Amino acid sequence: MSKPDESHPVNAIPPLAWALELYMKAGGKFKEGRMIELVFPVEDHREKMRKKGTHEIYMWFSKGRIFLRGRCNYDKACSFNSERINGANREAVKKLEWGEARSDTFFKAIRKWVVRLDLDFVTFIRALNTVCDRRVEIPLTTKYGKTFKKFDEYRRNKWPEDATPDNRERFIEEVLVRVSFWFQSAHQVGALK
């Protein structure tokens, strides 16, 4: 996607960060001390039209927060390299160059990362629902004229049959996709808080 505000990472990572902060405040279970990192290869580093290396965005969860960093594995002086940023800062996440990050692989990777965190499933989903209602002016009327009183109503709209609480990985992935589109829809109509 060409517009940063419509990028899936920009619309999924900050709400995920806010939900994890809320989850930790609620006393959700988490084994501190584990560092689970996720790497998104987003584009090639090129010099003189030749691929020399890869640009990657690293994401990790530490001390109750999601952090991100852009890194070029070829040149330490490359402009793609960034300082560590807080994943809860939507504007900072938007400034990272997400390039070729594909939505299908992005959501599968995020889902696996969340599952590896071994969170309390119900508390985590409730935290995501709460964040979606708090950070968006509700009721939300999309640019297509459809109105949703709460995120849960939006989330359940045309829900796939295989995304059940019994199939947690698929359920989490589908919720994260809906969260991303919820925030994208809210941005389109100026309803982000």
Side-chain angles (χ1 to χ4, degrees), residues 110-159:
I110 287 280
R111 171 198 73 195
K112 287 179 182 174
W113 183 80
V114 168
V115 168
R116 287 183 62 206
L117 290 177
D118 193 27
L119 306 171
D120 177 64
F121 180 73
V122 173
T123 308
F124 173 66
I125 296 300
R126 283 183 180 159
L128 275 173
N129 280 337
T130 302
V131 161
C132 289
D133 288 342
R134 285 185 185 170
R135 299 283 183 147
V136 171
E137 293 174 18
I138 49 178
L140 173 67
T141 302
T142 66
K143 72 177 187 177
Y144 302 106
K146 191 149 183 167
T147 301
F148 298 95
K149 293 177 185 170
K150 290 192 171 263
F151 172 70
D152 197 51
E153 183 183 332
Y154 178 83
R155 177 179 70 86
R156 292 174 189 261
N157 189 35
K158 297 180 182 173
W159 190 257

Side-chain angles (χ1 to χ4, degrees), residues 41-58:
V42 290
E43 61 188 14
D44 295 331
H45 177 91
R46 295 186 175 273
E47 289 184 7
K48 297 181 182 175
M49 304 294 284
R50 293 184 135 176
K51 177 183 172 182
K52 298 288 187 175
T54 307
H55 289 171
E56 300 169 325
I57 295 176
Y58 288 77

